[in-house]
Amino acid sequence: MKNFKKQFPLLEQYTYLDTAASGLLPEAVLEFRQDHDLDFLIGGSIFRENREAMFLKVRKAVGDLFHCAPNLVALTPNFSYGFNLLMEGIDRSKKVLLLRKDYPSVNWAVESRGFKVCYAEIDENLEQNVAEAVEKEKPDIFAFSLVQYINGIKIDPAFLLKLKEQYPELLLFADGTQYCGTEKFNFEASALDVLGASAYKWLNAGYGNAFFLFKEHMQEKIAPKELELKDLRGKNKPHKGSFIGKFEPGHLDTLNFGSLKAAIDLIEQIGIDKIESRVRELSAPAKEKLAERGLLESAVVNRKLHSSIFNIKGDEKLFQKLRSNKIICSMRGEGIRVSFIYFNTEADLDKLLRNL
């Protein structure tokens, strides 16, 4: 991993524990962006003539990484945009289960549209809470984040499979923005019906790019006719009103989605297996040592499964102390959020602990 750490010059000056807020821009992505804009500068519309070929490569790269057919991969500017389009195409009579205090872009998109809504609590018994809510409320859809943005609580994928087995008609819509890029994930084999994610965090792809993955049967579940904004044609969008075309109205940005492709190429070069292993090697001792110091909430301490995001007890004074010692993190919720990605090291964790 040391060689890949060189992709991020900021790490020479700072201890970066803030990927949950924003990933860093790798040099490999910067190089693509510089070449892209030079080609656009000297090529103009001639350069743009090849845009569909690029988007095909981007969809394939996303599909290969997360195991989804390219024709069921939609490219959107961000998660919120895509998720709002998704919910716009859902019958308002449907009942939706949400997690209370989940990421606002998930909950607002549902609550603001007048769906019948019920809730499950996010705590150490998250899966049990969801199971009880599904049994009691009989929702049509469960919309949720795979990893909670404030404290890093991660829902058990094995539980989701059991839930889907027990309630096969229940649709599962997941936000993977705080998850995608941290470990291997097979969308086709998962319980999810839809997975969306912005790529500026754990994929380190810069801003302005996101993706949505769909199971085949979702084409029959979503029918937002009002979203047929233009005649979209191409290999993955063969006719007017095609499914993916509903989520890609207007022009797509070759710079931003090309950046996503470049970022995925870097992940493939490193190896998602190695990334997953490295993240776990860092998150396990981080949880143990932060818990020993009484800095984590009980809901996190008492769960076996967790991500690499932690919210530690601390105020503005401690936050400013960390910043003054070149430790980059964020104030979130009631404390200070830190997060570990594959380019972090045990030395980064030790430095954090010393300053706490």
Side-chain angles (χ1 to χ4, degrees):
M1 292 294 176
K2 291 182 179 179
N3 292 335
F4 291 103
K5 193 170 181 177
K6 296 177 181 178
Q7 286 282 329
F8 308 97
L10 178 140
L11 302 179
E12 296 178 5
Q13 300 182 55
Y14 294 93
T15 298
Y16 196 78
L17 304 179
D18 211 21
T19 300
S22 175
L24 297 178
L25 189 72
E27 287 190 347
V29 176
L30 175 63
E31 289 170 5
F32 160 78
R33 293 165 78 94
Q34 290 174 328
D35 291 343
H36 171 281
D37 280 355
L38 179 59
D39 290 340
F40 190 21
L41 175 70
I42 63 179
S45 64
I46 299 173
F47 167 72
R48 286 285 296 181
E49 288 174 358
N50 296 320
R51 63 187 182 277
E52 287 302 328
M54 170 184 279
F55 297 140
L56 284 173
K57 291 178 181 177
V58 177
R59 292 189 193 93
K60 186 177 186 304
V62 172
D64 287 348
L65 180 59
F66 297 108
H67 299 275
C68 179
N71 66 310
L72 294 173
V73 175
L75 305 176
T76 66
N78 52 62
F79 169 81
S80 300
Y81 177 93
F83 192 64
N84 274 276
L85 285 181
L86 171 65
M87 297 313 299
E88 195 63 32
I90 300 297
D91 187 340
R92 296 295 194 277
S93 67
K94 300 296 184 183
K95 190 174 190 178
V96 184
L97 171 63
L98 300 173
L99 299 180
R100 201 178 302 278
K101 296 184 180 180
D102 200 345
Y103 191 56
S105 288
V106 175
N107 286 7
W108 287 348
V110 176
E111 294 165 340
S112 65
R113 283 176 167 79
F115 288 99
K116 291 178 285 186
V117 179
C118 53
Y119 296 90
E121 299 296 329
I122 301 170
D123 58 27
E124 62 192 85
N125 302 309
L126 172 60
E127 290 79 9
Q128 180 181 336
N129 298 341
V130 171
E132 291 175 354
V134 171
E135 181 179 5
K136 177 183 177 182
E137 300 288 348
K138 302 294 190 293
D140 301 290
I141 298 167
F142 174 31
F144 59 100
S145 297
L146 290 172
V147 172
Q148 290 302 309
Y149 76 109
I150 290 182
N151 59 13
I153 285 181
K154 175 182 176 181
I155 197 163
D156 186 351
F159 161 76
L160 295 176
L161 285 170
K162 292 179 181 177
L163 186 68
K164 190 70 169 180
E165 183 179 353
Q166 187 174 359
Y167 303 95
E169 295 302 313
L170 176 66
L171 296 178
L172 303 182
F173 297 172
D175 173 12
T177 300
Q178 294 288 12
Y179 171 77
C180 292
T182 62
E183 64 182 27
K184 299 189 297 292
F185 181 74
N186 187 323
F187 175 71
E188 190 58 43
S190 77
L192 304 182
D193 297 282
V194 181
L195 171 65
S198 289
Y200 68 91
K201 295 181 185 286
W202 302 89
L203 291 166
N204 295 301
Y207 287 80
N209 50 57
F211 55 85
F212 273 73
L213 313 179
F214 300 90
K215 291 287 176 62
E216 186 79 39
H217 63 264
M218 287 306 301
Q219 298 185 67
E220 303 168 4
K221 303 286 186 181
I222 306 172
K225 293 183 179 180
E226 63 273 20
L227 298 181
E228 294 178 10
L229 301 183
K230 59 176 284 191
D231 190 352
L232 293 166
R233 301 180 185 276
K235 183 178 177 182
N236 288 338
K237 297 180 288 186
H239 55 81
K240 182 177 180 180
S242 64
F243 180 68
I244 293 303
K246 297 178 190 299
F247 293 86
E248 298 181 355
H251 294 291
L252 297 180
D253 188 340
T254 50
L255 176 68
N256 289 335
F257 289 110
S259 297
L260 173 56
K261 169 71 163 55
I264 290 177
D265 288 345
L266 179 61
I267 287 174
E268 296 285 7
Q269 187 180 352
I270 298 169
I272 191 65
D273 289 335
K274 291 182 180 178
I275 289 174
E276 177 177 345
S277 176
R278 187 65 188 140
V279 169
R280 288 183 177 178
E281 287 173 359
L282 290 168
S283 60
K287 179 182 177 183
E288 180 182 351
K289 293 177 181 180
L290 291 170
E292 286 175 354
R293 290 162 172 75
L295 295 172
L296 300 178
E297 59 186 290
S298 59
V300 171
V301 175
N302 294 330
R303 286 179 61 83
K304 292 182 179 180
L305 188 69
H306 194 74
S307 69
S308 60
I309 300 173
F310 302 93
N311 196 301
I312 58 181
K313 297 174 183 177
D315 54 14
E316 178 70 22
K317 183 178 179 181
L318 176 59
F319 175 70
Q320 292 301 332
K321 177 189 176 184
L322 295 175
R323 274 296 179 95
S324 67
N325 284 282
K326 295 189 174 183
I327 298 174
I328 308 301
C329 48
S330 295
M331 293 288 292
R332 289 291 187 277
E334 301 296 319
I336 300 170
R337 186 182 65 187
V338 296
S339 49
F340 297 87
I341 194 172
Y342 68 86
F343 58 61
N344 290 124
T345 64
E346 287 80 2
D348 293 339
L349 174 57
D350 290 343
K351 182 177 178 181
L352 172 67
L353 294 171
R354 285 198 307 272
N355 280 276
L356 292 177

